[in-house]
Amino acid sequence: MSDTNLELERKLHSVIENSRVNAEIAQKLFDIETQILSCKTSKELLLQLLSSIREQFNLTDICLLLAEPTPVSYLLSGNMQSNWHQENSRSLDVNILKELHPSRKPFLTNDLLRIKAVLPPSLIKNAQSAAFTPLVIEDKLFGSLVFTDNNKARFHSDLGTIHLEQLAVKVSLCLSNALIREQLEYMAHYDRLTGVANRRLMEVTISEELIRQRRYKVPFSILFIDCNKFKQINDTYGHDCGDKVLTYVATQLQELIRENDKCFRYAGDEFVITLASQTYQEALLACKRLTEFFQNNPMPYEGSHLPITISCGAAASDGKKTMEELLKQADEQ
């Protein structure tokens, strides 16, 4: 066989082999897409995505880089940021992210010295090559999905990126849908200023606790809290200061109560706390502890401290009172 024929045969074999590999990759990506399409939350989606990609493509590691500050206002911010998100993602300056993806194309490299400052130390430790896949929501670059491998030849600048580009588009769309659903749910149940649950979720929670109390005879109490002289603070220091006071009070209340107790913004400067399995006497002790905390811990404000105090009333369920009656009793106290 002539050298020309041998060369043609090698090229044909290469084309066939590339087609086979591409077909396998396409099938794996289709399987991953099918799995993430059914996910309802961003946590579930990312968990499934990271697990599936690592398994399907036998990667050393994988993580999510998120632009800081985020170009998408509701993206995994504030109360939407779970412990899982914090453990499996890393914030990256938005300008550095744009340098990695100047044309919003995947970036592949086996020169990890160039990106040592970008990747978490845990990923750098066992990596020899890396692939950065841009994620876009609302036409804004908000993150990069990073794959690492201990094989230096796995990812390099001469490798094609068409499959990674397809994956990026599908992941971005699915994640966008999940985040929008979460944002709508968050807005329906949480107060945007203070971050605590709102009155709507309070009503659901108290109703559930009353049912549990009546069924299992476990104690249940609530606290009704007012910020003292809140109108005077607003009139003296302005509404921006008033907002800071509400946020300060809400934040401290959440930190001072137990894990299975819950804090809600009822209206204006009023808050409600539900105390699961707590008697009336225990609720009174909680009132005393909360009021003393604010008396002893003024709010830092403009280089000084602003005295913030609260009034706190308690009420305990006897199995007969309605939610409205409990709230009224605690408020009057």
Side-chain angles (χ1 to χ4, degrees):
M1 185 177 294
S2 67
D3 291 343
T4 302
N5 287 338
L6 284 173
E7 182 63 25
L8 287 173
E9 185 176 338
R10 278 196 294 268
K11 288 183 178 180
L12 179 60
H13 178 76
S14 178
V15 170
I16 293 173
E17 179 62 18
N18 286 339
S19 297
R20 184 188 66 78
V21 171
N22 286 335
E24 289 179 357
I25 293 174
Q27 181 59 51
K28 290 178 179 179
L29 292 177
F30 177 77
D31 293 341
I32 293 170
E33 179 186 358
T34 302
Q35 291 169 342
I36 65 175
L37 277 172
S38 61
C39 297
K40 303 299 183 185
T41 67
S42 61
K43 175 181 175 179
E44 182 186 357
L45 187 152
L46 290 170
L47 181 61
Q48 181 64 62
L49 177 68
L50 270 59
S51 175
S52 297
I53 290 178
R54 183 184 287 114
E55 180 181 336
Q56 291 274 20
F57 293 99
N58 194 28
L59 294 164
T60 301
D61 219 327
I62 183 171
C63 81
L64 177 65
L65 299 178
L66 294 174
E68 179 64 40
T70 175
V72 184
S73 60
Y74 57 81
L75 180 65
L76 301 177
S77 60
N79 286 274
M80 294 182 66
Q81 178 78 293
S82 70
N83 290 334
W84 186 91
H85 289 123
Q86 294 171 3
E87 292 170 3
N88 291 271
S89 64
R90 181 185 181 188
S91 296
L92 184 66
D93 186 276
V94 66
N95 294 315
I96 297 177
L97 189 64
K98 289 178 179 177
E99 289 176 7
L100 286 171
H101 304 292
S103 56
R104 298 188 181 179
K105 296 290 185 181
F107 169 65
L108 281 61
T109 183
N110 52 15
D111 181 8
L112 296 194
L113 287 177
R114 292 178 56 193
I115 56 169
K116 187 175 181 180
V118 174
L119 290 179
S122 58
L123 264 69
I124 284 286
K125 184 177 179 181
N126 300 313
Q128 292 294 319
S129 61
F132 294 76
T133 307
L135 299 177
V136 177
I137 287 182
E138 297 178 358
D139 198 34
K140 297 172 183 175
L141 178 68
F142 76 89
S144 184
L145 199 57
V146 185
F147 313 136
T148 64
D149 199 87
N150 55 17
N151 181 359
K152 194 175 182 70
R154 181 70 181 272
F155 302 116
H156 53 83
S157 57
D158 295 329
L159 196 65
T161 62
I162 183 64
H163 292 299
L164 289 176
E165 292 176 37
Q166 293 172 349
L167 176 65
V169 171
K170 293 170 182 176
V171 171
S172 295
L173 288 172
C174 292
L175 188 56
S176 176
N177 289 336
L179 288 168
I180 289 171
R181 280 198 301 269
E182 287 179 358
Q183 177 66 0
L184 292 173
E185 184 176 347
Y186 177 83
M187 291 172 66
H189 293 104
Y190 290 87
D191 175 53
R192 298 200 66 164
L193 173 64
T194 63
V196 299
N198 62 16
R199 185 168 177 168
R200 179 177 176 181
L201 193 56
M202 178 204 73
E203 292 173 353
V204 172
T205 301
I206 292 179
S207 295
E208 290 174 348
E209 286 292 344
L210 288 177
I211 291 172
R212 190 171 75 93
Q213 194 262 343
R214 290 162 185 161
R215 182 175 296 170
Y216 302 107
K217 309 303 179 184
V218 292
F220 169 64
S221 300
I222 65 169
L223 306 181
F224 200 102
I225 296 165
D226 282 323
C227 298
N228 295 333
K229 301 180 180 179
F230 182 70
K231 184 178 183 304
Q232 183 178 329
I233 292 173
N234 261 337
D235 292 342
T236 304
Y237 298 97
H239 291 285
D240 286 345
C241 178
D243 288 347
K244 286 182 172 63
V245 168
L246 293 175
T247 302
Y248 174 74
V249 170
T251 301
Q252 300 308 317
L253 289 175
Q254 288 197 108
E255 291 181 356
L256 290 166
I257 61 178
R258 304 171 307 162
E259 275 189 22
N260 56 337
D261 298 331
K262 296 177 181 177
C263 178
F264 307 88
R265 186 179 180 189
Y266 184 72
D269 63 329
E270 299 170 330
F271 296 86
V272 169
I273 292 175
T274 57
L275 302 173
S277 304
Q278 296 286 283
T279 64
Y280 180 66
Q281 292 303 317
E282 290 170 324
L284 290 179
L285 289 175
C287 281
K288 184 174 184 293
R289 181 167 56 88
L290 294 178
T291 53
E292 287 180 350
F293 173 86
F294 286 100
Q295 287 171 357
N296 298 326
N297 293 274
M299 184 185 80
Y301 182 68
E302 294 186 348
S304 184
H305 288 82
L306 186 64
I308 303 296
T309 59
I310 63 169
S311 297
C312 189
S317 173
D318 58 2
K320 300 177 182 178
K321 294 187 183 73
T322 64
M323 174 174 59
E324 290 75 16
E325 288 171 335
L326 280 174
L327 290 168
K328 182 178 180 181
Q329 180 183 339
D331 184 24
E332 289 175 346
Q333 190 194 83

